[in-house]
Amino acid sequence: MKKTIIIKVSKENPEPDKIRIAADIIRRGGLVAFPTETVYGLGADALNPDAVKEIYAAKMRPPDNPIIVHIARKEDVYKLAVDIPKSGEKLIDIFWPGPLTLVLKASNIVPRVTTGGLDTIAIRMPKHEVALALIREAGRPIAAPSANLAGRPSPTLAEHVLQDLFGRIDAILDAGPTNIGVESTVLDLSCNPPQILRPGGVTYEDLKAVLGEVSIHPAAVAKSEVHIERTRSPGMKYKHYAPKAEMLVVEGELKSVIMKVRELAKYYIEAGKKVGILATDESMKEYNLGIVKSMGSRNNLASVARNLFKLLRELDNEGVDLIIAEGLPQENLGLAVMNRLRKAASYNIINV
Ligand code: AMP
Ligand code: MG
């Protein structure tokens, strides 16, 4: 068991002495969890294969699921990736720092454990002062998947990281809640047209406006599991974001969704189950059974994205047996939110 040190740090003006402690750990090959604008990441020196192996071990992550590499200066992309297309340069110009990860051809300095054995690298520049200060001070790119145990909901608070990884990592930089709450968009630029492998903070609509043509990987919008063999985003084939409770998503027109959620909640509560309901500000008052939580407003899907993973963990902590979630529109951030909800529910979807 490792001694995990918890370092509280200012979100806007991270204290240099605190960042130095964390950066030293990274340089020595250790593991540091840190906040980004999306979720907390579990960082290690991306160029040190032994350090990156420790990430897989701490998270219990399958070895073929590659890790996103984080940089603090746009120019550093040219050291880690080769043959960057013009479209990539344009996207970097517009969306970095920010929640857009680009899949590019890896240069030969990138260890194969970091890329999960692939010849591509997934790379981004985060928009968070703590993340940027840590990368700069470490003086090297930092490989960082989400700082949760593999398969669990991603961490949006330091407490979530500690629930999963206390004693398994060297340190955590705690700067409070993350802003966006769902992970970055993963865009594959090694194919034509570029393809969204994972919807996230930068939306399909945003990308289409810049690129003209963008495709979405079928698994990213699937309503049922898509069989993935040799995939370009290996993470897509694994169980994800799953609460301990069973989960259902009810999709359709809001009125019908509310009726169905009520009916299901009543049925399972009468059968002796403890039921949690993930509703929205607009529908909260329609439910008088079960533990009801609002994900946020239907008119503000950013608020839903910010709350989602935290609510899944809260309902687990309250010991519910079943979570019933309302489906949401798939426009803009809704695509990322629905992707996470459906996966969290292992594709137990009811259409009404
Ligand atoms: P996370 O572990 O939550 O940070 O997720 C990282 C995601 O990026 C996973 O779905 C990975 O499979 C994906 N990813 C990372 N590197 C690559 C790569 N080189 N090519 C394609 N997908 C990648
Ligand atoms: Mg993850």
Side-chain angles (χ1 to χ4, degrees), residues 59 61 145-146 148 154 183 198 240-241:
K59 280 186 58 106
R61 183 181 179 94
S146 51
N148 52 294
S154 297
E183 300 86 342
R198 174 176 77 182
H240 255 100
Y241 320 119

Side-chain angles (χ1 to χ4, degrees), residues 100-112:
L100 177 65
T101 296
L102 300 177
V103 174
L104 298 161
K105 203 158 173 258
S107 79
N108 56 21
I109 68 165
V110 185
R112 283 299 176 265

Side-chain angles (χ1 to χ4, degrees), residues 39-41 59 61 64-70 101-104 106 114-116 118-123 144-148 154 183-184 186 188 190 197-198 231-238 240-241 343:
V39 301
Y40 274 77
K59 280 186 58 106
R61 183 181 179 94
D64 65 343
N65 189 4
I67 297 176
I68 295 170
V69 175
H70 295 70
T101 296
L102 300 177
V103 174
L104 298 161
T114 304
T115 66
L118 301 174
D119 56 9
T120 53
I121 180 175
I123 184 165
S146 51
N148 52 294
S154 297
E183 300 86 342
S184 61
V186 178
D188 190 349
S190 72
L197 302 179
R198 174 176 77 182
T231 162
R232 281 167 293 121
S233 191
M236 294 189 301
K237 73 180 180 226
Y238 294 108
H240 255 100
Y241 320 119
K343 286 189 168 194

